[in-house]
Amino acid sequence: MLSAFISAFKTPDLRKKILFTLAMIAIYRLGATMPSPGVSFSNVKECINFAKQGDNGVFTLLNLFSGGALLQLSVFALGIMPYITASIILQLLTVVIPRLEQLRKEGQSGQAKITQYTRYLTLGLAVLQSSAFVALARSGQLFNNKCDQSQYPIVPQTAVPMWLTVSVLVLTMTAGTGVIMWLGEMITDRGVGNGMSVLIFTSIAARLPAEGWSVKEGKGWWIFSFIIALGIIAWSVWEGTESWRGAEG
């Protein structure tokens, strides 16, 4: 695996694609850690610490796919979830709506139209989801009701009217979703692999150290070591399989 990576860097075209992909990933991670306007970063940290004391259910899973950005209400808090949801909806509607079925059969031009509809639907879903998450955060439900919003308000009251602060927050998170779509498409066109898949992997990989440490703190060294051993075994099997395929080829 390491030798293949080194060989790829020796090829000018592949090297440019890899470096471009890494640059897009860096921008994605920067947006995932950048707080949205109007959000108290210190209060968010306190609420996350309170939420860690119990099971936060589906929000923990969504936070994993957003690379930890959701519970921080960062610029890229929604991650790639609105785009994935929009893609699934369009695929299902293709079976129901004849116009979409016709576009799918038209080839590249029709697929470009469907992609355009997916973008519009993604932004619509982003507005709905960002509004919902902001409301959940302000009520404390995003943190499993373990964070007192009167003591640690996520969106503190300032001289700016609250409706304007919330509106800017929703618009920022929606715009962040649009930038994520652009990053994914740029990676697909000019980088390595499928852009959205790369961003999903980046989000999950970014949470692995923190989640692994949480397992160690909660379950102890034995369980933590067992999980690490399973990961090493899985990687060794994969490496052996790839080597065997290469020898056969």
Side-chain angles (χ1 to χ4, degrees):
M1 181 178 178
L2 185 59
S3 60
F5 189 76
I6 295 174
S7 299
F9 255 91
K10 291 180 179 179
T11 306
D13 186 47
L14 275 178
R15 183 171 62 247
K16 288 180 181 179
K17 290 185 176 182
I18 292 173
L19 293 176
F20 180 82
T21 302
L22 291 176
M24 294 297 101
I25 290 175
I27 295 173
Y28 176 65
R29 289 307 304 158
L30 177 64
T33 56
M34 187 182 299
S36 298
V39 174
S40 172
F41 186 71
S42 58
N43 289 349
V44 167
K45 288 295 184 184
E46 291 291 338
C47 290
I48 290 176
N49 291 332
F50 287 129
K52 286 180 179 178
Q53 299 173 7
D55 182 19
N56 210 18
V58 66
F59 296 121
T60 302
L61 181 63
L62 292 175
N63 195 50
L64 175 66
F65 280 99
S66 66
L70 175 59
L71 294 184
Q72 295 182 21
L73 291 181
S74 66
V75 175
F76 289 170
L78 300 180
I80 42 79
M81 298 308 294
Y83 182 84
I84 293 177
T85 306
S87 299
I88 294 173
I89 291 175
L90 260 296
Q91 287 180 6
L92 294 176
L93 290 179
T94 301
V95 183
V96 180
I97 301 177
R99 170 61 178 163
L100 293 177
E101 177 68 19
Q102 182 181 354
L103 286 175
R104 189 176 66 84
K105 293 179 179 179
E106 287 180 2
Q108 189 173 358
S109 60
Q111 188 59 45
K113 275 287 185 182
I114 294 178
T115 301
Q116 189 176 8
Y117 294 154
T118 303
R119 291 170 183 164
Y120 294 148
L121 183 57
T122 298
L123 293 178
L125 291 174
V127 172
L128 295 176
Q129 291 184 12
S130 57
S131 301
F133 285 132
V134 170
L136 288 171
R138 293 184 62 201
S139 66
Q141 296 181 47
L142 188 62
F143 303 97
N144 208 21
N145 291 320
K146 293 182 178 296
C147 185
D148 185 4
Q149 288 302 295
S150 61
Q151 186 176 1
Y152 302 104
I154 300 300
V155 185
Q157 183 67 56
T158 61
V160 180
M162 182 56 69
W163 67 267
L164 182 58
T165 302
V166 172
S167 299
V168 171
L169 183 55
V170 169
L171 287 175
T172 300
M173 293 168 67
T174 303
T177 301
V179 174
I180 291 173
M181 276 196 300
W182 177 77
L183 291 175
E185 291 176 2
M186 290 295 288
I187 292 174
T188 301
D189 293 340
R190 300 175 55 186
V192 179
N194 180 276
M196 288 303 168
S197 299
V198 171
L199 295 182
I200 292 173
F201 172 77
T202 301
S203 299
I204 296 176
R207 290 296 302 166
L208 283 180
E211 295 298 330
W213 189 255
S214 298
V215 171
K216 179 263 173 187
E217 291 292 317
K219 304 296 183 180
W221 279 107
W222 285 107
I223 300 297
F224 179 73
S225 301
F226 178 71
I227 293 174
I228 294 295
L230 284 180
I232 294 174
I233 292 172
W235 180 79
S236 301
V237 171
W238 181 80
E239 275 287 316
T241 304
E242 289 296 314
S243 301
W244 177 69
R245 287 177 179 174
E248 276 199 337

